[in-house]
Amino acid sequence: MLRPRIPVNEKPSAEIVPTITTLGAVVPHQPGQTPCGCQHHAPAPAAPAARPAVQLTPGALVVGVIGGTVVVLTIGAVLVSMLLAVAITAGSLAIVALVVRSLLNSEAKQRR
């Protein structure tokens, strides 16, 4: 029931489709296969060795570290405050539940 069903091509064609790899390069057909009418691309030329795209000076590195620290501390403070708000709400609800239960019990004792 949960097995995948692979569709079968009722009318297969004789065309051989080359496999496309990264950067648009096309893998040529194997020597034993019949040639096709498609154009095979040559491999892309290697990029010249260039300097790194981002060069960090010591000052920029310090600013980045400080900025990251501020972001982490801010997110931590927000999460801790949200957790504290949930804890306070839970405590308040527990106190309200105790008061309501006490009122209901005292009312039930007065009826007897």
Side-chain angles (χ1 to χ4, degrees):
M1 182 173 104
L2 297 176
R3 292 185 187 174
R5 298 180 193 265
I6 301 172
V8 179
N9 189 0
E10 299 296 328
K11 298 178 183 177
S13 64
E15 183 180 351
I16 300 172
V17 179
T19 306
I20 297 177
T21 60
T22 59
L23 299 175
V26 177
V27 177
H29 297 300
Q30 298 298 327
Q33 296 176 341
T34 59
C36 63
C38 61
Q39 297 177 2
H40 297 279
H41 303 289
R51 64 181 195 197
V54 177
Q55 291 182 346
L56 294 177
T57 62
L61 188 60
V62 169
V63 168
V65 168
I66 291 174
T69 304
V70 167
V71 167
V72 167
L73 290 177
T74 304
I75 291 174
V78 168
L79 291 177
V80 167
S81 64
M82 288 172 61
L83 181 63
L84 183 62
V86 169
I88 291 172
T89 304
S92 300
L93 286 176
I95 292 172
V96 168
L98 288 175
V99 169
V100 169
R101 186 175 72 175
S102 174
L103 289 174
L104 290 176
N105 284 339
S106 66
E107 185 180 317
K109 287 181 182 179
Q110 289 177 357
R111 287 186 183 173
R112 290 183 186 177

